[in-house]
Amino acid sequence: MRTSEFDPLSLEIFDRQLKKVTLVVLAVFGVLVLRFWFLQVVNGSVYRTKSENNRIRLQDISPFRGMVLDRNGATLVDNRPSYDLYVVPEEVQDLEELLERLSLLAGLGAEEAEQKLDDTSLRYPFRPVCLKRDLSRDELAKVETHRFNLPGVIIKAAPQRHYINGTFASHLIGYLGEINENQLSSGQYTGSKPGDLIGKSGVEWKWQRDLNGVRGGAQVEVDATGRKIRVMARKPPVPGENVCLTIDKDLQAVAEKALAGKSGAIVAMDPNNGEILALASGPSFDPNLFVGGIDRASWEGIVLSGAFPLQNRALSGQYPPGSVFKIVVALAGLEEGIIDPEEEVVCTGIYYLGRRGYRCWKKYGHGKVSLHRALVESCDVYFYDMGHRLGIDKISEYAMRFGLGKRTGFDPVHEKAGLIPTRDWKLKRWGVPWQGGETLSTAIGQSFVLVTPIQMAAFASAVFNGGILYRPQVTRWVGKSETEKTHEFAPVVTGKIGIKQEHLEFVKNALIGVVNEPHGTGGRARLKEVTVAGKTGTSQVIALKKEEEFESEENIPVQYRDHAWFVAVAPAENPRIAVAIVVEHGGHGGSAAAPIAGQLIKAYLGLDKSVLAESATN
């Protein structure tokens, strides 16, 4: 194109328009620069604070933990709302000042809270840390009123475990506690985070994964004060499954009332399938204390108590069985042909082995006694003689066959095995051989013999159900409801005692006599409406000579008094309930434990509605 083709007038107009456009562009650019300068320089600190605090928070939504029910569907454990105080470490500028304020507003322990924040903030600065659970209404109101001056503070509403009847069945149900670092790193608690509560014992521990459910979450936009602006996304939590137990709530209440103020244990079992109908251990504890984080004073009061309320005596309490063990010796003697049921032994109140005399509980003796009367009146001399004839090897063999000296397999909590002594055991343990006198003591349930109440309930059941040992179980099903079950449990047979039926029948008739014959030691368990069979036991805590130094039973200090045992089954002809009871330092089984068995049997079989009505109101 040649220059001569351009019109000078057009070039002049073009130049003027270009200048105008350039001025407009420069003006717009200048306004933008000015605006950027105003935002970043003049108000930079203000918007920096807003940009740092206007964030999207990822909030956990805790699931509802599954309920715990009794065999009839009555709720034993559920959930209630709790308002918990959290702090996001990264958003706290002055930790000391914040904790001081929270201490005044919510009664927060500053030292403990600071330790929690220090442990977590270095690794997870954006993760909220729970400093206090279950704020009271007044504490919640104070914190919410001052939220503008509490940077990083979050209040979360979450379901909290609620043990409806406090100490009710606490050893069986268990309690919750905050997860620790070892548990988090173990890989057994998938999806758990610091601050979460998990089952620490009992049913809560056994069925932790099923009860716990799956947490949900939400994306929440918040402002500089931490107040929620809007929920951007939400994933609902999945509630945990329910656990239905085999225990009967009313019977459990009767058992716990019977143990009130005492140390001991009660186990009631269905002898036909091994289901636990009641399991009580005293003294007890309130698992609600652990849910919100137990304070130091309360914790020390529990663990330093000489009564050991956290111990489940029904499973881990190991006691000499006393005369209840005579059932084992009687059946062993019959089975081995050592005992002739009609043979009589003369009891003068003392039995000599060599130069040493072994006393009967009846000072002047029972006179001539056969096996039936020896069981009914619990004659020690008769069983000294039969134990000496049997020998420790046979006694131990039969005791172990009956499930003693080993764990029953009961699942929710750790149980003890007890002890059935043998020659080899003593030689290995003490380095000395077995002595003949120890066989005599073993024959009446003393010496080294130790059993647990749950073992004795399973043993008594086997004697009356035809010789079948069932594994004690406490869970019927796990699931959303009775029609939607994830797990369901059938009876488990762990063994058969292998005793001839005629021998079992003989001993069963004698145990009926213990309760129902005029001189039976268990007469206080007798009921008009049903035939009860049972056996008393009194296990010594100190030697008989030492007891005699106190001149009378009333003068013996409580810690030196004998433990009282009683096992019972009813109805004897068609058993529906077996009971094992031990009252620590209760004295005689016939007076301290037998009446409790009568109460339990009456309640379970519905023979005395007043017992159930009274237990329901307590």
Side-chain angles (χ1 to χ4, degrees):
M1 181 182 293
R2 284 178 286 198
T3 310
S4 58
E5 295 180 3
F6 287 98
D7 184 357
L9 181 60
S10 298
L11 288 172
E12 184 178 349
I13 294 172
F14 179 77
D15 288 339
R16 287 201 298 269
Q17 290 176 339
L18 182 61
K19 290 178 180 178
K20 289 179 181 179
V21 171
T22 302
L23 289 174
V24 171
V25 170
L26 290 173
V28 171
F29 186 75
V31 170
L32 290 174
V33 171
L34 184 64
R35 181 60 179 167
F36 288 148
W37 176 82
F38 180 79
L39 291 174
Q40 296 184 18
V41 178
V42 178
N43 286 335
S45 60
V46 175
Y47 287 104
R48 186 178 299 111
T49 301
K50 288 186 176 182
S51 68
E52 289 176 351
N53 288 282
N54 286 340
R55 297 179 175 175
I56 306 300
R57 282 184 179 162
L58 299 178
Q59 289 188 356
D60 288 333
I61 304 177
S62 300
F64 279 90
R65 195 170 174 90
M67 296 187 295
V68 179
L69 315 171
D70 87 331
R71 66 187 297 114
N72 300 310
T75 303
L76 305 178
V77 185
D78 63 1
N79 305 282
R80 65 175 180 79
S82 169
Y83 294 94
D84 305 332
L85 189 152
Y86 288 76
V87 167
V88 181
E90 197 271 342
E91 296 180 3
V92 178
Q93 297 176 354
D94 190 334
L95 178 61
E96 186 176 347
E97 182 182 356
L98 176 66
L99 295 182
E100 186 176 341
R101 289 179 180 175
L102 291 176
S103 177
L104 294 173
L105 297 173
L108 191 68
E111 184 178 342
E112 184 179 353
E114 188 172 356
Q115 183 179 355
K116 286 185 177 181
L117 286 169
D118 287 345
D119 291 344
T120 306
S121 57
L122 294 176
R123 292 170 295 169
Y124 314 106
F126 291 93
R127 179 178 292 176
V129 180
C130 182
L131 298 187
K132 187 171 183 179
R133 297 185 186 275
D134 199 22
L135 296 178
S136 67
R137 290 187 177 183
D138 289 343
E139 292 170 342
L140 178 62
K142 290 176 183 178
V143 171
E144 287 291 356
T145 302
H146 294 82
R147 278 286 292 279
F148 187 80
N149 297 317
L150 301 171
V153 171
I154 304 172
I155 299 295
K156 289 186 181 181
Q160 175 167 294
R161 206 58 165 161
H162 181 214
Y163 299 90
I164 298 173
N165 299 300
T167 61
F168 185 87
S170 58
H171 293 94
L172 183 60
I173 294 171
Y175 64 94
L176 301 183
E178 190 169 327
I179 193 169
N180 58 43
E181 285 297 323
N182 291 334
Q183 291 166 331
L184 278 170
S185 59
S186 69
Q188 297 179 5
Y189 300 89
T190 306
S192 295
K193 298 181 179 180
D196 284 356
L197 297 178
I198 61 171
K200 294 287 188 177
S201 71
V203 171
E204 294 278 28
W205 167 79
K206 168 63 181 175
W207 297 108
Q208 161 64 24
R209 184 173 298 181
D210 300 82
L211 284 166
N212 196 53
V214 180
R215 71 172 73 246
Q219 289 182 327
V220 180
E221 184 179 359
V222 297
D223 62 17
T225 66
R227 295 181 185 276
K228 182 171 68 176
I229 297 174
R230 63 190 177 106
V231 177
M232 303 179 67
R234 180 184 177 89
K235 179 184 177 182
V238 178
E241 295 185 325
N242 300 323
V243 174
C244 180
L245 304 181
T246 62
I247 67 169
D248 182 291
K249 180 182 177 181
D250 293 330
L251 186 65
Q252 180 74 23
V254 173
E256 295 194 2
K257 183 182 178 185
L259 275 182
K262 303 180 181 73
S263 294
I266 296 173
V267 178
M269 177 187 293
D270 186 331
N272 301 302
N273 55 25
E275 289 188 350
I276 298 297
L277 305 173
L279 189 149
S281 176
S284 190
F285 66 95
D286 187 352
N288 286 307
L289 293 172
F290 295 86
V291 176
I294 189 168
D295 61 85
R296 183 181 297 275
S298 298
W299 174 247
E300 289 180 350
I302 291 174
V303 298
L304 298 179
S305 169
F308 307 107
L310 291 179
Q311 181 189 9
N312 187 345
R313 288 167 164 82
L315 284 89
S316 63
Q318 300 179 105
Y319 308 89
S323 293
V324 178
F325 196 76
K326 292 172 182 175
I327 300 173
V328 174
V329 176
L331 288 170
L334 289 170
E335 198 71 11
E336 291 295 317
I338 300 296
I339 295 177
D340 177 353
E342 302 304 320
E343 179 187 357
E344 292 183 332
V345 173
V346 178
C347 171
T348 61
I350 192 166
Y351 180 88
Y352 285 96
L353 182 65
R355 295 181 179 180
R356 182 174 176 182
Y358 294 81
R359 298 187 185 184
C360 182
W361 69 267
K362 193 171 184 180
K363 188 173 183 180
Y364 298 108
H366 293 84
K368 292 182 179 181
V369 290
S370 62
L371 177 57
H372 180 91
R373 187 179 167 213
L375 283 169
V376 170
E377 300 184 27
S378 201
C379 176
D380 292 333
V381 166
Y382 183 94
F383 285 96
Y384 288 146
D385 189 45
M386 296 307 160
H388 180 60
R389 296 186 196 181
L390 271 168
I392 188 58
D393 297 327
K394 285 297 180 183
I395 294 174
S396 299
E397 176 191 332
Y398 277 87
M400 292 178 186
R401 187 190 295 186
F402 298 147
L404 306 180
K406 56 186 176 182
R407 296 177 180 86
T408 64
F410 188 71
D411 219 6
V413 290
H414 305 293
E415 64 169 319
K416 295 289 181 64
L419 174 64
I420 298 299
T422 63
R423 296 178 187 275
D424 291 341
W425 169 83
K426 189 189 175 191
L427 192 61
K428 183 177 179 181
R429 177 69 176 83
W430 302 103
V432 293
W434 188 264
Q435 303 297 315
E438 292 167 337
T439 301
L440 304 191
S441 296
T442 299
I444 63 165
Q446 295 290 155
S447 184
F448 302 107
V449 183
L450 295 173
V451 297
T452 65
I454 198 164
Q455 287 176 343
M456 298 308 282
F459 164 63
S461 296
V463 172
F464 278 83
N465 68 16
I468 302 172
L469 282 169
Y470 286 101
R471 177 189 297 166
Q473 64 180 46
V474 75
T475 309
R476 295 193 104 181
W477 54 262
V478 178
K480 295 187 181 302
S481 67
E482 195 163 3
T483 57
E484 295 182 71
K485 302 172 186 173
T486 306
H487 308 283
E488 191 170 9
F489 301 93
V492 177
V493 176
T494 59
K496 295 185 178 181
I497 60 178
I499 301 295
K500 294 176 182 176
Q501 197 62 37
E502 59 265 30
H503 296 155
L504 284 174
E505 289 299 323
F506 184 94
V507 170
K508 286 162 64 174
N509 287 330
L511 299 182
I512 292 173
V514 169
V515 177
N516 297 281
E517 292 183 14
H519 298 290
T521 56
R524 295 189 65 179
R526 187 182 307 146
L527 299 175
K528 294 179 180 179
E529 305 88 345
V530 67
T531 303
V532 178
K535 184 70 189 79
T536 56
T538 302
S539 59
Q540 289 179 300
V541 175
I542 57 174
L544 184 60
K545 288 184 178 180
K546 183 70 174 177
E547 285 185 354
E548 291 175 344
E549 292 179 10
F550 295 103
E551 296 181 356
S552 67
E553 291 186 17
E554 292 74 17
N555 294 333
I556 300 176
V558 172
Q559 67 270 26
Y560 294 147
R561 294 178 186 174
D562 300 334
H563 299 320
W565 272 100
F566 192 71
V567 298
V569 176
E573 318 82 35
N574 184 26
R576 291 173 55 193
I577 180 173
V579 179
I581 302 164
V582 61
V583 180
E584 293 182 6
H585 311 295
H588 299 290
S591 58
I596 297 175
Q599 295 173 28
L600 291 167
I601 293 167
K602 266 192 172 184
Y604 184 67
L605 298 181
L607 304 176
D608 187 352
K609 300 298 182 183
S610 64
V611 174
L612 291 174
E614 187 178 355
S615 67
T617 59
N618 287 285

